[in-house]
């Protein structure tokens, strides 16, 4: 029986294991868990990314933890990624800021990569869907384990950003952030303060929540189709639908405003959240007026929608 190797080790390649771990050497495929294993270096385009470094890692009572990524772009932006307390402690441990009594999972992952004689070439924050960031870790065989063919094949794994960044800190791998993510969610490290609002913070929070409750997710139908495709193990269709959903959020101005508003609220930037709330309200009114006369105000989505109707 062939052996399938993943970062969790080698095990028999049964049907049940292939559903969770699916190695593909020509292009990436995504299983129900969302993990991707592939060797396709052309998937990474440096022109689409900004280099970044880990700035501060903070533990907070409200959110558990936050890692601040400093992006090397023209704005010198920072990107705040909210993580769990355990993940924040793990990063602080890797940076020598906190002592843990025992090695944790990220220590084990970094050691396993070393034992398997692989080298992490980069970690990338690739996209944001809703309020969830997505990341990928790239690695190649090195040393005696490397062959001429394997040197040209990067192994790509989907990971949570907190896990990927924790591993990157431990192995000294470079970190990149997708330019669209940096533009949408990054903010200048310094700059003029936002104009004061005549609303209290409590009023802003309440009105933002009310506006978010009125938001109609433009990808609801595709999300249902995605769940059905995964249940029926139609993974090629599921991968296409995931792309449609991600593009739907990226192109829909209301979705962009909603994500930015929620991020500003989490960060305590209430005046900025109020501006995104007003934008979300404006988009909702435009859609309401257009629907009254049977029009789609966002016609650019129609072509991509048609491509998935047959799924």
């Amino acid at each position: 029986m062939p052996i399938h190797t993943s970062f969790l080790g080698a095990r028999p390649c049964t049907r049940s294991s292939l559903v969770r771990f699916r190695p593909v050497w020509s292009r990436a495929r995504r299983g129900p868990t969302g993990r991707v294993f592939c060797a396709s270096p052309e998937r990474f385009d440096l022109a689409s990314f900004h280099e970044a470094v880990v700035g501060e890692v903070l533990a907070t009572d409200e959110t558990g933890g936050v890692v601040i990524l400093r992006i090397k772009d023209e704005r010198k932006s920072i990107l705040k990624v909210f993580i769990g307390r355990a993940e924040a402690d793990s990063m602080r441990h890797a940076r020598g800021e906190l002592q843990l009594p025992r090695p944790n999972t990220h220590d084990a992952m970094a050691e396993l990569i070393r034992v398997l004689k692989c080298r992490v070439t980069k970690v990338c924050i690739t996209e944001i869907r809703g309020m969830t960031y997505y990341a990928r870790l790239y690695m190649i065989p090195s040393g005696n384990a490397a062959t001429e063919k394997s040197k040209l094949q990067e192994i790509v794994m989907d990971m949570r950003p907190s896990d990927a960044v924790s591993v990157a800190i431990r192995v000294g791998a470079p970190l990149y952030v997708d330019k669209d993510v940096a533009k949408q969610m990054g903010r200048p490290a310094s700059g003029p303060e936002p104009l004061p609002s005549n609303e209290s913070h409590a009023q802003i929070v309440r009105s933002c929540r009310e506006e978010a409750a009125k938001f109609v997710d433009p990808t609801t139908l595709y999300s249902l189709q995605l769940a059905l495709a995964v249940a029926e193990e139609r993974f090629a269709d599921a991968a296409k639908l995931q792309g449609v959903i991600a593009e739907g959020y990226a192109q829909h101005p209301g979705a962009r405003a909603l994500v930015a508003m929620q991020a500003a609220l989490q960060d305590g930037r209430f005046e900025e959240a109020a501006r995104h709330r007003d934008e979300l309200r404006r988009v909702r009114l435009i859609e309401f007026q257009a629907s009254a006369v049977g029009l789609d105000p966002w016609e650019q989505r129609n072509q991509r929608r048609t491509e998935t109707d047959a799924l």
Side-chain angles (χ1 to χ4, degrees):
M1 180 176 294
I3 298 296
H4 163 58
T5 303
S6 72
F7 73 90
L8 293 181
R11 66 178 186 176
C13 189
T14 63
R15 177 177 174 81
S16 60
S17 65
L18 280 176
V19 172
R20 184 175 178 84
F21 303 105
R22 191 177 286 266
V24 179
W25 299 105
S26 58
R27 63 186 179 89
R29 291 185 183 175
R30 194 180 298 269
T33 61
R35 286 180 171 81
V36 169
F37 295 85
C38 66
S40 49
E42 72 277 6
R43 292 179 60 84
F44 176 77
D45 180 11
L46 182 59
S48 300
F49 289 83
H50 289 304
E51 189 176 356
V53 296
V54 178
E56 295 77 33
V57 182
L58 307 173
T60 65
D61 294 332
E62 295 81 6
T63 62
V66 59
V67 54
I68 301 175
L69 304 180
R70 300 192 176 276
I71 303 172
K72 298 181 180 180
D73 60 0
E74 59 278 2
R75 300 189 303 163
K76 297 183 178 179
S77 306
I78 62 173
L79 180 68
K80 291 188 176 182
V81 181
F82 292 90
I83 58 179
R85 180 61 179 266
E87 289 78 7
D89 287 346
S90 179
M91 290 185 191
R92 295 174 63 204
H93 169 61
R95 289 158 59 94
E97 301 171 0
L98 179 69
Q99 294 297 321
L100 297 179
R102 296 283 295 164
N104 63 11
T105 303
H106 299 130
D107 294 325
M109 290 172 65
E111 180 65 13
L112 184 58
I113 291 172
R114 185 192 68 80
V115 170
L116 293 176
K117 299 187 183 301
C118 290
R119 178 171 63 87
V120 178
T121 59
K122 53 188 164 286
V123 163
C124 305
I125 309 295
T126 57
E127 59 182 310
I128 181 171
R129 303 179 198 167
M131 286 299 293
T132 303
Y133 288 98
Y134 288 74
R136 286 179 178 169
L137 181 146
Y138 295 72
M139 65 181 182
I140 59 173
S142 62
N144 296 333
T147 64
E148 290 302 320
K149 181 179 180 180
S150 66
K151 289 178 181 179
L152 302 177
Q153 293 179 322
E154 283 187 312
I155 301 170
V156 186
M157 293 189 291
D158 270 2
M159 301 181 73
R160 297 187 308 172
S162 56
D163 296 329
V165 171
S166 286
V167 173
I169 294 173
R170 285 165 168 80
V171 301
L175 177 65
Y176 297 92
V177 175
D178 182 87
K179 288 183 177 179
D180 290 337
V181 174
K183 182 179 179 180
Q184 179 180 351
M185 302 303 297
R187 64 184 182 89
S190 61
E193 292 296 322
L195 295 176
S197 170
N198 56 5
E199 300 174 278
S200 69
H201 290 174
Q203 289 174 323
I204 291 176
V205 171
R206 183 170 59 253
S207 61
C208 285
R209 289 175 177 172
E210 291 173 351
E211 195 61 38
K214 299 175 183 177
F215 176 72
V216 179
D217 190 339
T219 66
T220 299
L221 177 61
Y222 302 125
S223 297
L224 294 174
Q225 293 179 357
L226 173 61
L228 180 61
V230 170
E232 296 177 349
E233 298 187 7
R234 292 184 287 110
F235 298 121
D237 290 346
K240 292 180 182 179
L241 287 165
Q242 282 183 323
V244 173
I245 292 172
E247 185 173 336
Y249 266 99
Q251 291 185 352
H252 193 282
R256 294 198 301 268
L258 177 67
V259 170
M261 180 186 74
Q262 292 175 327
L265 284 177
Q266 283 188 337
D267 201 19
R269 294 177 277 121
F270 298 104
E271 288 77 12
E272 183 178 338
R275 292 200 300 272
H276 292 304
R277 175 207 60 198
D278 295 341
E279 174 64 14
L280 181 59
R281 182 178 297 155
R282 184 186 70 84
V283 170
R284 180 169 57 82
L285 292 176
I286 290 175
E287 291 183 332
F288 176 78
Q289 294 169 355
S291 64
V293 294
L295 296 178
D296 180 0
W298 324 119
E299 294 182 358
Q300 66 269 27
R301 295 178 302 168
N302 289 346
Q303 180 178 358
R304 189 65 183 268
R305 182 187 298 116
T306 302
E307 294 175 357
T308 61
D309 284 344
L311 296 179

